[in-house]
Amino acid sequence: MSRLAFIGLGSNLDDPAHQVRTALDELKSLPDTTLTATSRLYRSDPVGPPGQPDYINAVALLHTGLEAEALLDALQALEAEHQRVRGERWGPRTLDLDILLYGNRVISTPRLTVPHSHLDQRSFVLYPLREIAPQLVLPDGRSIDALCARCPMGTLEPIGV
Ligand code: ROI
């Protein structure tokens, strides 16, 4: 069975815009998966420890036959190809790929929390998400419009395609 999965992309090291653009392209080659939509790239101030570089963020929509954990494995393999080294919590990273939503499923396992935690508090996720899915409703019934209304854009800005 094929599902819609929204993926959040983020980078703040080693030419972040290039990291995100390359990763968007690489999502096309995941097995049993079609890349259906991509948001623009957005620049955002870092959330988390201060003193780290700005982030580039984007959101992609996949149509995938992969189960959620298999999708997570595939995304982690892509992160590893981008030389992501897991360092300090909320520290700088070359590439972060998060499953934001997986169909209408709610998943809570040691490896995976879907919808992604803090999704509703992060403008760098919500606004790119709304760009590609303006009618989106979360499994708990909240609409993307309602979530954006409660989460100011702040310094988030699109930087083009
Ligand atoms: N801050 C921004 N702006 N964008 C991110 O993608 C991002 N990712 C993270 C933390 C460290 C929480 N901060 C971020 O994981």
Side-chain angles (χ1 to χ4, degrees):
M1 177 179 167
S2 183
R3 291 181 195 272
L4 295 176
F6 288 92
I7 309 301
L9 299 92
S11 169
N12 73 341
L13 287 179
D14 298 343
D15 192 351
H18 176 72
Q19 298 286 346
V20 171
R21 285 196 184 97
T22 316
L24 285 171
D25 210 43
E26 288 161 349
L27 289 175
K28 293 179 191 159
S29 44
L30 295 186
D32 202 7
T33 299
T34 310
L35 176 65
T36 307
T38 58
S39 74
R40 290 172 291 176
L41 269 53
Y42 288 75
R43 193 209 61 78
S44 61
D45 290 344
V47 170
Q52 49 175 318
D54 288 351
Y55 276 79
I56 298 295
N57 287 105
V59 170
L61 172 58
L62 305 178
H63 226 108
T64 186
L66 295 176
E67 285 302 320
E69 297 243 343
L71 178 59
L72 179 64
D73 290 338
L75 296 178
Q76 289 186 345
L78 279 187
E79 287 180 346
E81 281 173 29
H82 285 246
Q83 276 92 43
R84 160 117 187 246
V85 178
R86 284 177 184 271
E88 75 175 291
R89 181 165 188 249
W90 288 12
R93 63 262 333 269
T94 333
L95 182 64
D96 209 1
L97 297 172
D98 292 324
I99 302 176
L100 304 173
L101 293 164
Y102 183 81
N104 213 30
R105 295 261 306 274
V106 175
I107 304 171
S108 179
T109 70
R111 288 188 69 204
L112 197 53
T113 302
V114 178
H116 194 264
S117 27
H118 312 302
L119 174 97
D120 54 352
Q121 297 152 32
R122 294 194 166 162
S123 61
F124 63 81
V125 172
L126 292 175
Y127 287 86
L129 196 52
R130 185 171 67 170
E131 186 190 322
I132 58 173
Q135 309 297 331
L136 184 70
V137 176
L138 266 53
D140 64 7
R142 290 180 298 170
S143 72
I144 188 71
D145 265 342
L147 294 171
C148 285
R150 284 166 186 272
C151 182
M153 241 181 131
T155 59
L156 181 76
E157 54 177 0
I159 62 161
V161 182

